[in-house]
Amino acid sequence: MPGPHRYCVLTIVICLTSPYLSYAMSGHDMHHSEQKQEHAMVYNDAGMVMNHNDSDLPFDCKKISRDYAFTIHAGVAYARDFPGTVFGMDQREITVDPCSRITITFVNEDQVRHQWMLHGLPKYLYDQGMFTLEAMGEHTQSGTFIVPGDDKTYLVHCDLPQHMEKGMKGQLVVGRGSGDLWSIPGVSREFRQQNYLPGHAALIFLLAIMPGITASLIVFARCGKIKS
Amino acid sequence: MSRNTWIWGTAIFVLLISFPPQWYPEPVRLQLAAWFGADAYRALPESAQPSAVKSEIACPEDVLGWREAQEIAGVQIRRSLNCVADDPYAVAAFVRGTNNIPQSVLMRSGLTQDAIVKGRDLDNDGDPDEIHIRLEVVELNGASPDTDNLTTQYAIAPGIKPGLWVFVPKMTGMATKNFESLQARSLLRLPSPVIRIEQGDHVFITLENSHYMPHTIHFHGVDHPFQDADGEGNDGVPLTSEVPVMPGQARTYDLQPRQAGTMFYHCHVQSHVHVMMGLQGLFIVEENRPNNWLQTLNIGAGQVRYPSVSVKENYDREYDLHYQDIDRDLNNRIQKTNDPRLVTKSLHRDYNITTASSEYFTLNGKSFPYTFRESLVIVKPNETIKLRIVNGGSSGIALHTHGHKATVTHRDGVPVQPNTGIVRDVFWIAPAQRLDVKLETTNDGLHSYGEGVWLLHDHQGKGVTTNGIGPGGNISAIVYESYLKDNGWPRTFGVSWDPYFSAAYYRKEVPVWQSYAENLSSEVTFDGWLILRLLGLGVAAGTIAALLILQFQGRRS
Ligand SMILES: [Cu+2]
Ligand SMILES: [Cu+2]
């Protein structure tokens, strides 16, 4: 593990090489049982790290281009600046070079679980294409991963039900990225937009029509006079 | 004749001949019949061809072997005869405690190491008496800011996914079966889990509020102090004992129940809304016995796969039965908008429970036919079975046991007088009320009429429907093992169940007897001739109206 874990008392690494175990972990979905590569879930008192990788290079990288370290704070406190969200992170967009090695230190300031879960990594290196840090309430978790060489924007979120929907969403931009994702607080709007109209919106519309009609009538009347 | 006269004449003629005869007043029709005789025969509209129904598999295969009797981490887990069983690894973790099992078992259970912590044996009788339970709050079938697909999906019946909030054990990893799937993991479901502790246990229950609204836990009927040792509120009632647990926060409740019995727990924040959203579960205090390791949680209620020592003394099997009803106008509000402020207002201000009615009726979080996958009361002759029943719904239920008269032993966790034990076949259960019922399968014409597949359901008509479509609702059955196939599905001799396993059936798209009486079942096609007449009538009336306006204008100028 890179860097000391403040809460790391007991660390157990279990490699899920058996297709049966992997099947059990993925519930009833059959196709994951076919994947036989190793992936590691590391459990510690702070929570769980999945698919930590500080040495295996993606196929399209000859060497590690650069090392990054980010500390990300999470909790309801970071939702305050974004109306209509409840959960949040202090950094919702991270930009890195292709083939770089990234160490995330995830500081959970709430008293409930949160996750920093990344999707879209190559599946030959990361089981289910994921890298995950899970931090128990008021705990800090860290881990490392290496990104491939192509320009791509990766989804980062907390997978607790409704946490992403209510604000815990971000993106990792590798190189020039591949376009912003939707509904990232401070970065992009939601795709399915709400109407924030007052209850008497129809009345307002009607009130606006009347001056419109009056103005038009006046203009038409004047024009008519000029001609005649 | 002028052009106008021609148009007038044609329009009136078309108007008269296209006017449907069945719309004439009765005296006119009788007079016409007297003059011209009865109308000639014309065939009625054709019957519609029944559409093919795509059905789900009634009983999915038990690929993971969860139904088998098995020993995990030293816990002897009973066989589950129902088609769909609980995860035995979770059962083992609930019995031993997530702090006392091998890491491999813990991983397969999906729970965190601190989910169920079992501590010291306070009375030196061979079982742990310090129990620390951690619960989170999960939203099922919720909204997304980006798609119309619901999040963390859970179907109560084919195609029916009402918005729900539930207490769940603290777990690790993903909330869905995998990243590609939208289906909730098996630990995340309705109803909230049954909590089982022993009389005298020192129980800590930490509510880790992972949801975006404030919540609490109120222990209904369970012996607990109003305030804990530190003077903190311990009753879960925002009005009188404590400020609710806010999103992202946690609170630990502390109780040591002196009395045994079948009790209840639920959120007490805006309880007319939060309880009905699903934040409610059975809370069972078992009698104290030596070496009494308990299955601290029973996910989704149903069969208890590791019954307590005291239950085993008197009963062959034990089933937890949690009845609920759902007003979809309330529950689906969380799906209509993603902004928590709009959701909050919609649920707590716009919704008015005094004018509400329920459409969905569930047993252990499912409606028929899903109830038959996992909530059958499976029995053998000459057994004694313990049923612990709660009505978590908004109105009473009249539970009827076909083929059996059973005995109420406890009401609201308190034993009824031994000689006044009430033997009956309809059990009226008020909202939040619990009944302990002793079901005896002695074939004496009273307690049981013999082996079979005997329905078990609320006898109020609406309770056996899903939004008014039957069969649906909370229908389950008492099934004798001799009537059970190997896969846990009952051998039935009536109609095909295929239509009931389709979402189309509950969308009202399948004619009621389509599967067994095609000719009776068909819906009627349109009457094309009548539609043509209506079109003619409309055109003629329009022409006449136009002529009238032209004439009126002509007179003015
Ligand atoms: Cu979170
Ligand atoms: Cu609540």
Side-chain angles (χ1 to χ4, degrees):
Chain A
M1 302 293 296
H5 273 287
R6 270 198 292 158
Y7 303 95
C8 186
V9 180
L10 168 76
T11 302
I12 299 165
V13 182
I14 293 166
C15 295
L16 292 180
T17 46
S18 136
Y20 183 74
L21 272 178
S22 155
Y23 176 65
M25 289 303 296
S26 62
H28 298 275
D29 217 298
M30 202 62 187
H31 72 274
H32 286 292
S33 63
E34 258 73 73
Q35 301 170 356
K36 289 201 177 170
Q37 87 268 78
E38 277 187 26
H39 80 265
M41 278 183 155
V42 181
Y43 288 83
N44 54 37
D45 277 8
M48 181 266 289
V49 181
M50 180 186 175
N51 293 340
H52 170 86
N53 170 29
D54 57 8
S55 54
D56 291 345
L57 286 172
F59 290 153
D60 55 352
C61 299
K62 289 205 175 70
K63 62 180 180 57
I64 287 163
S65 64
R66 199 174 151 183
D67 267 302
Y68 292 93
F70 297 99
T71 300
I72 292 163
H73 294 257
V76 291
Y78 301 99
R80 277 183 207 129
D81 292 341
F82 302 100
T85 66
V86 174
F87 304 103
M89 298 184 285
D90 64 344
Q91 291 178 76
R92 293 159 303 281
E93 184 173 61
I94 292 172
T95 306
V96 297
D97 285 349
C99 296
S100 60
R101 179 163 59 193
I102 300 134
T103 297
I104 303 285
T105 303
F106 184 56
V107 185
N108 179 0
E109 298 181 4
D110 280 344
Q111 294 173 325
V112 304
R113 278 189 307 138
H114 285 302
Q115 297 164 341
W116 195 89
M117 187 182 277
L118 181 79
H119 290 279
L121 291 168
K123 290 187 177 174
Y124 60 81
L125 211 51
Y126 302 89
D127 183 72
Q128 300 187 59
M130 282 160 60
F131 168 81
T132 305
L133 299 174
E134 178 172 86
M136 296 291 157
E138 296 175 333
H139 280 62
T140 296
Q141 188 72 275
S142 68
T144 302
F145 58 98
I146 300 166
V147 294
D150 51 337
D151 291 340
K152 187 174 171 183
T153 303
Y154 294 81
L155 167 67
V156 173
H157 72 131
C158 173
D159 196 61
L160 266 77
Q162 285 292 316
H163 283 209
M164 172 171 78
E165 289 73 14
K166 303 298 186 260
M168 273 192 96
K169 187 174 181 184
Q171 61 187 12
L172 172 79
V173 181
V174 175
R176 280 165 299 166
S178 53
D180 284 343
L181 306 175
W182 290 94
S183 69
I184 295 175
V187 175
S188 57
R189 273 203 82 168
E190 66 281 15
F191 182 76
R192 196 174 154 246
Q193 288 164 12
Q194 298 298 317
N195 285 324
Y196 291 91
L197 293 170
H200 42 272
L203 185 69
I204 292 173
F205 180 71
L206 285 175
L207 283 175
I209 283 182
M210 282 197 271
I213 291 173
T214 317
S216 309
L217 284 176
I218 291 168
V219 169
F220 291 149
R222 289 245 169 109
C223 291
K225 257 178 205 164
I226 290 161
K227 265 183 196 166
S228 62
Chain B
M1 279 197 291
S2 76
R3 197 190 52 174
N4 262 19
T5 320
W6 269 108
I7 299 176
W8 266 107
T10 316
I12 289 171
F13 178 72
V14 172
L15 191 80
L16 285 175
I17 61 153
S18 60
F19 194 86
Q22 61 262 48
W23 291 2
Y24 286 121
E26 200 172 286
V28 175
R29 290 201 64 195
L30 288 173
Q31 190 56 55
L32 287 172
W35 287 341
F36 305 110
D39 297 347
Y41 175 76
R42 188 166 65 84
L44 295 177
E46 294 284 325
S47 297
Q49 285 301 309
S51 55
V53 176
K54 246 181 85 183
S55 298
E56 302 169 10
I57 294 166
C59 178
E61 202 187 334
D62 179 29
V63 192
L64 298 171
W66 283 4
R67 299 175 65 228
E68 303 305 319
Q70 47 205 293
E71 188 188 318
I72 297 171
V75 180
Q76 297 285 347
I77 297 163
R78 284 190 179 183
R79 191 151 68 109
S80 169
L81 287 165
N82 269 292
C83 165
V84 173
D86 282 342
D87 179 354
Y89 287 83
V91 173
F94 295 144
V95 174
R96 297 271 295 152
T98 45
N99 58 326
N100 289 328
I101 48 171
Q103 194 73 22
S104 58
V105 175
L106 182 66
M107 268 195 67
R108 290 197 52 181
S109 76
L111 299 160
T112 61
Q113 191 145 24
D114 61 355
I116 306 287
V117 174
K118 301 209 172 181
R120 287 176 300 167
D121 179 1
L122 299 174
D123 55 5
N124 287 312
D125 69 346
D127 57 62
D129 304 311
E130 284 180 328
I131 316 288
H132 196 151
I133 302 164
R134 283 183 176 81
L135 298 176
E136 297 178 336
V137 179
V138 152
E139 178 165 311
L140 302 169
N141 303 322
S144 157
D146 297 326
T147 82
D148 290 334
N149 289 329
L150 303 175
T151 61
T152 328
Q153 295 186 4
Y154 173 81
I156 61 167
I160 297 180
K161 296 169 184 169
L164 298 165
W165 299 341
V166 284
F167 295 110
V168 298
K170 192 175 176 187
M171 33 148 256
T172 181
M174 300 203 64
T176 47
K177 288 186 168 162
N178 58 62
F179 182 57
E180 284 86 12
S181 169
L182 295 170
Q183 306 306 315
R185 274 164 57 166
S186 63
L187 288 174
L188 308 184
R189 58 166 296 165
L190 190 72
S192 302
V194 181
I195 298 176
R196 244 185 189 73
I197 54 138
E198 201 184 26
Q199 191 178 6
D201 277 357
H202 197 171
V203 184
F204 302 93
I205 299 181
T206 302
L207 171 59
E208 300 194 356
N209 187 3
S210 52
H211 191 238
Y212 57 83
M213 281 200 196
H215 300 295
T216 62
I217 301 179
H218 169 67
F219 300 97
H220 178 134
V222 190
D223 175 28
H224 66 279
F226 183 69
Q227 291 177 303
D228 66 14
D230 305 325
E232 302 254 337
N234 200 45
D235 191 35
V237 180
L239 264 181
T240 50
S241 83
E242 75 219 43
V243 173
V245 188
M246 301 307 286
Q249 291 186 348
R251 170 178 294 132
T252 300
Y253 297 90
D254 178 343
L255 51 161
Q256 197 161 13
R258 290 162 289 182
Q259 305 287 340
T262 304
M263 310 303 180
F264 194 37
Y265 71 100
H266 58 83
C267 174
H268 218 295
V269 177
Q270 294 286 315
S271 48
H272 64 289
V273 168
H274 290 212
V275 178
M276 300 319 294
M277 289 299 294
L279 292 173
Q280 50 164 297
L282 272 162
F283 193 114
I284 292 159
V285 185
E286 299 273 4
E287 290 167 21
N288 195 358
R289 294 285 188 282
N291 298 310
N292 198 9
W293 290 74
L294 300 179
Q295 184 187 327
T296 306
L297 299 183
N298 186 10
I299 297 297
Q303 183 195 352
V304 184
R305 290 183 79 176
Y306 195 84
S308 70
V309 172
S310 53
V311 165
K312 281 191 285 192
E313 286 166 2
N314 298 307
Y315 295 93
D316 298 292
R317 315 178 196 227
E318 182 183 21
Y319 294 93
D320 297 334
L321 305 178
H322 187 147
Y323 288 87
Q324 277 170 275
D325 59 58
I326 293 169
D327 174 10
R328 62 179 179 166
D329 173 43
L330 168 67
N331 291 62
N332 293 0
R333 279 167 186 261
I334 61 173
Q335 301 169 348
K336 300 214 163 93
T337 169
N338 184 60
D339 187 325
R341 299 166 301 175
L342 298 180
V343 176
T344 299
K345 179 167 184 286
S346 176
L347 287 174
H348 304 95
R349 287 293 172 269
D350 301 341
Y351 177 69
N352 182 351
I353 196 170
T354 65
T355 59
S357 62
S358 293
E359 291 85 15
Y360 303 139
F361 302 87
T362 60
L363 164 60
N364 296 345
K366 304 276 186 184
S367 289
F368 177 89
Y370 286 176
T371 44
F372 271 66
R373 285 182 178 166
E374 49 182 71
S375 284
L376 297 175
V377 174
I378 295 169
V379 301
K380 272 200 295 207
N382 302 311
E383 284 187 336
T384 309
I385 295 101
K386 187 168 182 70
L387 307 178
R388 298 189 190 253
I389 309 169
V390 65
N391 175 14
S394 56
S395 56
I397 58 168
L399 191 63
H400 172 41
T401 49
H402 285 216
H404 297 80
K405 286 191 168 58
T407 310
V408 176
T409 61
H410 301 68
R411 200 184 274 129
D412 297 338
V414 181
V416 297
Q417 291 302 314
N419 296 326
T420 60
I422 307 153
V423 182
R424 49 179 52 184
D425 58 27
V426 176
F427 301 87
W428 179 256
I429 314 171
Q433 189 153 65
R434 287 87 58 209
L435 290 187
D436 288 27
V437 170
K438 181 166 71 171
L439 175 71
E440 289 157 286
T441 52
T442 322
N443 183 359
D444 56 5
L446 173 71
H447 296 96
S448 166
Y449 318 156
E451 298 181 53
V453 181
W454 302 99
L455 284 194
L456 170 69
H457 62 90
D458 180 5
H459 214 284
Q460 299 178 104
K462 61 182 180 181
V464 295
T465 75
T466 294
N467 191 26
I469 295 295
N474 56 34
I475 300 174
S476 179
I478 300 167
V479 182
Y480 284 73
E481 284 189 16
S482 56
Y483 279 82
L484 208 61
K485 297 181 207 164
D486 285 345
N487 67 353
W489 200 256
R491 290 194 294 126
T492 55
F493 304 89
V495 301
S496 161
W497 288 30
D498 287 348
Y500 313 141
F501 277 98
S502 71
Y505 188 82
Y506 293 101
R507 284 197 307 263
K508 317 186 178 192
E509 292 166 5
V510 181
V512 56
W513 1 91
Q514 173 167 305
S515 68
Y516 53 94
E518 223 171 82
N519 293 331
L520 267 180
S521 77
S522 311
E523 305 212 327
V524 179
T525 55
F526 289 123
D527 185 346
W529 180 236
L530 184 63
I531 287 174
L532 263 179
R533 288 183 89 140
L534 288 177
L535 284 173
L537 190 68
V539 169
T543 311
I544 288 169
L547 286 170
L548 283 173
I549 290 169
L550 282 174
Q551 240 167 26
F552 179 70
Q553 277 190 335
R555 207 170 291 163
R556 261 181 30 162
S557 58

